[in-house]
Amino acid sequence: MLIVPTEDSIRVSKIMNILLKNNKHALFVGPTGTGKTISIVNEIENGFPKEEWINIGLSFSAQTSSNQTQEIIDEAMEKRRMGIYGPPMGKEGIVFVDDLNMPQLEKYGAQPPVELLRQWMDYGGWYDLESSEKTFKEIQSIRFVAAMGPPGGGRNYITERYSRHFSTIYVSQYSVDSLKFIFSSILDSLFMSNKVPSFAKSIVGLKDNLVSSTIMMYENVTKSFKPTPTKSHYTYNLRDVSKVFQGIFFSNPKGTRNDTEMIKLWAHECIRVFHDRLITEDDRESFMGILKETMTEKFKRDWDKVVTVNPLLFSSFVPTIYPDDDTSKKPLKNLYCELTDRENLKKICNRSLVEFNEEPDTKKMDLVLFMDAMEHVVKCFRIIKTPKGNGLLVGVGGSGRKSLSSLATFIADFDLFMIEITKDYGIKEWKEDMVSMFTRGGVEERGIVFLFSDNHIIEEAFLEDVNNILNNGEIPNLYNAEDHLNICEGMKDSVKGNMKYANMGDPELFNLFQERCRNNIHVMLAFSPIGEDFRRRLRMFPSIVNCTTIDWFLPWPKDALSSVAEHFLQDVDLP
């Protein structure tokens, strides 16, 4: 992960370091996308040596319980003497609580997880849940750092009896100058990492305009598309701006050869990030108007002259560019470029569908891949190929969310993982499935797409775990002692012969396992927008929106429905 330090982030890191090392607690408050979490995590990893400190991470949601919170912290503690616990001897502990004010209020107005943490602040511990006597456990040598957004939109006020224990620091929105510095530095790293061959000078010269135009798009979209009860996901923050540049990072000099192609790539990434979550044709037309105006103002280009093939699509699974533009040679593979040859796109998608159906132990799919369907395949493929990318596919039943994402997973050469619901399926079976999935992603190092739909939500606790995967890439307290032992043994076999990992002990191997899981497992949520459940879940589990790329499936157009009818009726002898 590329982190660009700014005055604001350095200030946050320095203040936090001083407070924690002087045994004080720190609370950072600010809007989503201001870099609170990434600054805190980065400082914990780099400013506190692992030989002297342990880090315990918590990510609260509306469903987080006090028991879950206590179990996560207790698991990292060791017994020091009768009734007294703490981090391993010789170490201090940092407990990082993200989204501190997300837990929902109980009937008396309290937040149980917050009240548990307040109990530690006031009394130095809590009662042992596992002992029959419920004896008091004193927890020593830990301090807390927390981050939260301002109250509202599912976030609550925390009690002053708890907040009084913290040094509270407000993290404001980045200034325009800071944003330009951050994203200019990111583009510099892209251009510097591609020196042979290098990007054309005309592309490098677009750097300032790419940055300023993306910031302008973000500001205009935020002003134009406000959240409402039916559009509660119309929330934009600086994570969305970074996703645009993350998409631009797919480019390389062979696939993006001139300034026009870079401008089209920029427009495509803006569409994928800002446009695809819009739920009405009117909103989408308004967005395209904003995009075209920005292109004209910033790049002095006319949309209709730049974009000659609609809809604008970029991907890497359709070979489109030939060496020296010589079509007699084989096209270059794995280049992120514009998909101008739509017949070739259709041919490759249909061939992949045939190969998918020939795979053993797969549910056969009889799909008609019209243009809109292939567009969603391209979108899903982009999400899967994005480092640590996750997706939220929203549409009514029968819109093709699961089928098209399954096909995109196959094209990307990832394993598809889905849970199978039976009448006896519960928390125990869920945890077993999660251990199996993480083992495949971490020990076996296989790319996995976890396809999870609202039909799988038998218990809201499942969504709590999914929220943690989206936010942290892991599920707290998932592994028992036997699982932990099996994972460490599997990791030893996995890294055998690699001198880089020769001297790693079990703790280091387990950390490597968790990092592999974060990199290899991608979550694809397939939810229906019908009913109150969808809006409630977005409100209660913020990572569903904040940590995903949203693809909203609109009703299929008439020509798509006609092509489906023609496909199924072509062999029918109608009078």
Side-chain angles (χ1 to χ4, degrees), residues 266-277 287-288 291 303 312 375:
W266 165 82
H268 173 265
E269 298 310 315
C270 288
I271 292 171
R272 296 287 78 85
V273 173
F274 299 117
H275 167 277
D276 287 349
R277 72 174 64 191
F287 171 85
M288 292 306 298
L291 182 61
W303 174 274
L312 182 61
E375 185 178 359

Side-chain angles (χ1 to χ4, degrees), residues 246-508:
Q246 197 173 19
I248 292 175
F249 248 71
F250 283 131
S251 66
N252 67 52
K254 292 182 180 179
T256 308
R257 298 163 294 182
N258 54 57
D259 55 349
T260 300
E261 291 181 352
M262 178 57 81
I263 293 170
K264 285 195 281 187
L265 172 59
W266 165 82
H268 173 265
E269 298 310 315
C270 288
I271 292 171
R272 296 287 78 85
V273 173
F274 299 117
H275 167 277
D276 287 349
R277 72 174 64 191
L278 303 177
I279 69 174
T280 66
E281 290 290 356
D282 289 343
D283 284 351
R284 295 192 171 194
E285 288 177 9
S286 297
F287 171 85
M288 292 306 298
I290 295 171
L291 182 61
K292 292 174 182 179
E293 289 176 9
T294 305
M295 180 182 287
T296 302
E297 179 179 343
K298 289 292 184 179
F299 299 104
K300 312 302 180 188
R301 304 292 179 92
D302 181 74
W303 174 274
D304 294 326
K305 292 181 180 178
V306 171
V307 180
T308 56
V309 181
N310 284 296
L312 182 61
L313 293 176
F314 276 69
S315 196
S316 59
F317 69 90
V318 181
T320 303
I321 295 177
Y322 294 85
D324 305 319
D325 291 327
D326 185 353
T327 55
S328 64
K329 298 179 180 178
K330 286 187 176 182
L332 300 171
K333 295 183 178 180
N334 297 321
L335 285 183
Y336 194 69
C337 59
E338 186 183 5
L339 305 180
T340 52
D341 188 346
R342 297 301 160 86
E343 285 302 316
N344 196 27
L345 170 63
K346 186 173 184 178
K347 177 182 174 182
I348 289 177
C349 286
N350 280 313
R351 186 176 67 208
S352 299
L353 178 61
V354 171
E355 293 172 356
F356 176 89
N357 287 331
E358 290 174 350
E359 288 286 308
D361 302 323
T362 58
K363 185 179 179 181
K364 306 298 184 270
M365 299 190 300
D366 189 7
L367 302 179
V368 180
L369 294 175
F370 45 86
M371 189 60 239
D372 287 73
M374 290 188 291
E375 185 178 359
H376 284 294
V377 171
V378 171
K379 293 175 185 178
C380 292
F381 181 89
R382 174 185 174 276
I383 293 169
I384 294 167
K385 283 294 189 178
T386 300
K388 299 181 181 178
N390 304 294
L392 171 60
L393 313 179
V394 187
V396 297
S399 57
R401 297 160 299 162
K402 294 181 185 177
S403 301
L404 298 176
S405 57
S406 298
L407 180 58
T409 300
F410 179 78
I411 294 173
D413 197 24
F414 276 55
D415 292 349
L416 183 67
F417 185 90
M418 294 177 64
I419 62 173
E420 294 184 13
I421 301 298
T422 62
K423 66 176 183 178
D424 297 323
Y425 197 92
I427 291 291
K428 179 176 177 290
E429 290 74 21
W430 165 262
K431 289 195 172 185
E432 289 173 353
D433 282 340
M434 292 299 99
V435 170
S436 173
M437 180 182 74
F438 278 102
T439 301
R440 288 165 61 182
V443 176
E444 300 174 24
E445 265 199 297
R446 291 157 69 175
I448 292 174
V449 172
F450 176 32
L451 182 55
F452 184 78
S453 76
D454 38 16
N455 294 328
H456 294 143
I457 307 174
I458 296 175
E459 299 191 33
E460 290 292 311
F462 293 1
L463 264 183
E464 172 76 16
D465 288 342
V466 170
N467 187 75
N468 278 310
I469 297 173
L470 292 171
N471 202 35
N472 303 319
E474 61 183 86
I475 299 175
N477 285 349
L478 177 63
Y479 310 105
N480 58 33
E482 183 180 352
D483 295 330
H484 200 284
L485 180 62
N486 291 337
I487 287 169
C488 290
E489 289 300 318
M491 288 299 296
K492 288 175 184 176
D493 292 335
S494 176
V495 302
K496 187 181 294 182
N498 190 330
M499 296 307 296
K500 180 181 177 182
Y501 308 114
N503 298 319
M504 278 192 172
D506 284 358
E508 292 80 11

Side-chain angles (χ1 to χ4, degrees), residues 83-128:
I84 297 178
Y85 296 77
M89 289 302 295
K91 292 188 176 183
E92 301 281 310
I94 298 173
V95 182
F96 171 43
V97 185
D98 203 6
D99 289 322
L100 175 67
N101 57 346
M102 276 303 300
Q104 62 186 355
L105 305 177
E106 43 99 91
K107 66 178 181 178
Y108 298 109
Q111 295 170 284
V114 173
E115 291 303 313
L116 176 80
L117 300 182
R118 184 184 67 80
Q119 182 178 330
W120 182 87
M121 296 282 195
D122 287 338
Y123 302 105
W126 40 61
Y127 293 92
D128 190 347

Side-chain angles (χ1 to χ4, degrees), residues 208-220:
D208 292 340
N209 277 344
L210 288 171
V211 173
S212 60
S213 59
T214 306
I215 295 172
M216 178 183 287
M217 283 297 302
Y218 164 69
E219 292 174 343
N220 289 335

Side-chain angles (χ1 to χ4, degrees), residues 58 60 63-74 103 111-117 119 126-127 129 477:
L58 298 168
F60 281 179
Q63 289 293 311
T64 304
S65 69
S66 56
N67 283 6
Q68 288 174 322
T69 304
Q70 182 173 338
E71 286 169 1
I72 293 170
I73 298 176
D74 279 348
Q111 295 170 284
V114 173
E115 291 303 313
L116 176 80
L117 300 182
Q119 182 178 330
W126 40 61
Y127 293 92
L129 297 176
N477 285 349

